[in-house]
Amino acid sequence: MNPTYRILTILGLVTVLTGFSEAVRAQEPIRVVQASSEQLSAVQLYNRGVDKLEKGDYAGAISDFADALQLNPEDADAYYNRGYAYHSLGNYDGAIYDYTQAIKLNPDFSQAYSNRGYTHFVRRDYQKAIADFTKAIEIDPENDTAYISRGNAYDELGDAEAALNDYAKALDIDPENARTYYNRGLTHNRLEQYKDAIADYTQSIELQPTFAEAYYNRGLTQFKLENIDAATADLQKAAELFQEQGRSDSYQTVMNALQVMGGGN
């Protein structure tokens, strides 16, 4: 068995139209652990847990991480990844506990703060979410996803100025992130800054042409500006993309909007 030790890093989570955000996952560079046979067994269990996590077998991953932690209770990464598995199953108490344990073992674990913040966000505890995102940024000032997530939390609290500032900082770090433009567009929309919102949705579409939510929201904004032809075209494109992606509920939402507008087939 290869004693390679792998860590699954969750790079960020953001809010989109559907109300639940997907985690963007990538592995960090491989680290080799020099260990005794007992420690090696913990590594093997950990790696098996990572494999299951990547396949969506969250219950199996939780079991393997738990066994690994029995052998090596000082493994911050195992707590971190088990926290993600718990979150994916809707066990937010378990997720927060595990992220907290990871932070205790590794106080500079920026991603653990970021993911704990997102769990607080999902529970609508926005002040705690902001505190965690802020800590993640203090540890890693280049953590653009923490800026995005903190911007989302500020937006939920009605602090549009703080939200826009965070989205701008995120774009300074990564100007090619379609979801940052999209989320900033939502904030502009809430402020009734419709032309700015359309500009942001358009930029997100240019960066990610299959971004159905961006077409949908741009279409609604065009409708508010009484640009009916443009609104209809965007909603029809959103419906097409949602259908291709197998997202039937979202597809039906768009079709209902088209019917109200008189642009349905």
Side-chain angles (χ1 to χ4, degrees):
M1 177 68 70
N2 190 337
T4 300
Y5 188 95
R6 293 173 293 169
I7 173 172
L8 192 70
T9 301
I10 300 170
L11 298 180
L13 311 103
V14 295
T15 301
V16 295
L17 176 69
T18 54
F20 186 76
S21 311
E22 295 181 358
V24 181
R25 297 180 290 167
Q27 288 186 338
E28 289 184 354
I30 288 172
R31 294 186 285 126
V32 177
V33 173
Q34 302 295 330
S36 67
S37 59
E38 182 177 5
Q39 290 171 320
L40 182 60
S41 295
V43 171
Q44 291 171 344
L45 287 164
Y46 175 92
N47 284 341
R48 192 171 71 179
V50 170
D51 289 337
K52 291 178 180 178
L53 196 63
E54 292 177 328
K55 294 174 182 176
D57 180 6
Y58 301 121
I62 287 168
S63 177
D64 282 340
F65 292 136
D67 289 343
L69 285 166
Q70 285 186 346
L71 295 174
N72 180 13
E74 303 300 309
D75 189 347
D77 297 337
Y79 277 114
Y80 171 77
N81 285 326
R82 191 175 71 174
Y84 174 70
Y86 275 133
H87 181 110
S88 298
L89 293 176
N91 184 347
Y92 302 134
D93 287 338
I96 288 172
Y97 174 83
D98 274 354
Y99 291 139
T100 301
Q101 293 303 115
I103 290 166
K104 288 179 180 177
L105 292 167
N106 180 5
D108 293 327
F109 206 154
S110 175
Q111 296 298 344
Y113 277 106
S114 188
N115 285 350
R116 189 176 71 177
Y118 181 67
T119 306
H120 286 310
F121 180 92
V122 170
R123 300 180 79 167
R124 300 186 179 183
D125 195 341
Y126 300 124
Q127 294 292 359
K128 286 185 179 179
I130 288 169
D132 275 343
F133 296 138
T134 299
K135 185 64 178 179
I137 291 166
E138 289 176 0
I139 296 169
D140 178 12
E142 297 300 304
N143 187 342
D144 61 313
T145 54
Y147 276 114
I148 297 168
S149 296
R150 191 174 70 176
N152 293 340
Y154 279 131
D155 191 53
E156 292 290 341
L157 290 174
D159 192 344
E161 181 179 358
L164 291 173
N165 285 338
D166 273 352
Y167 296 142
K169 290 174 182 175
L171 288 170
D172 285 341
I173 297 168
D174 181 9
E176 302 297 310
N177 191 322
R179 290 179 180 266
T180 311
Y181 286 104
Y182 172 80
N183 286 341
R184 191 172 70 175
L186 294 178
T187 302
H188 283 308
N189 222 341
R190 293 186 183 106
L191 292 172
E192 299 184 356
Q193 298 170 349
Y194 298 133
K195 291 184 179 180
D196 289 334
I198 287 172
D200 277 340
Y201 296 142
T202 299
Q203 185 63 35
S204 68
I205 289 166
E206 289 179 1
L207 291 167
Q208 186 178 328
T210 60
F211 201 159
E213 289 90 349
Y215 278 105
Y216 175 76
N217 280 283
R218 190 174 70 174
L220 294 182
T221 307
Q222 294 282 17
F223 181 73
K224 290 178 181 178
L225 293 174
E226 300 183 356
N227 299 327
I228 305 304
D229 289 344
T232 300
D234 274 346
L235 292 180
Q236 288 175 340
K237 182 63 175 179
E240 175 189 326
L241 289 169
F242 281 132
Q243 189 172 42
E244 289 176 356
Q245 295 164 11
R247 300 162 66 182
S248 57
D249 289 345
S250 296
Y251 169 77
Q252 191 57 55
T253 296
V254 180
M255 294 306 296
N256 291 342
L258 281 166
Q259 289 293 335
V260 170
M261 289 171 47
N265 293 327

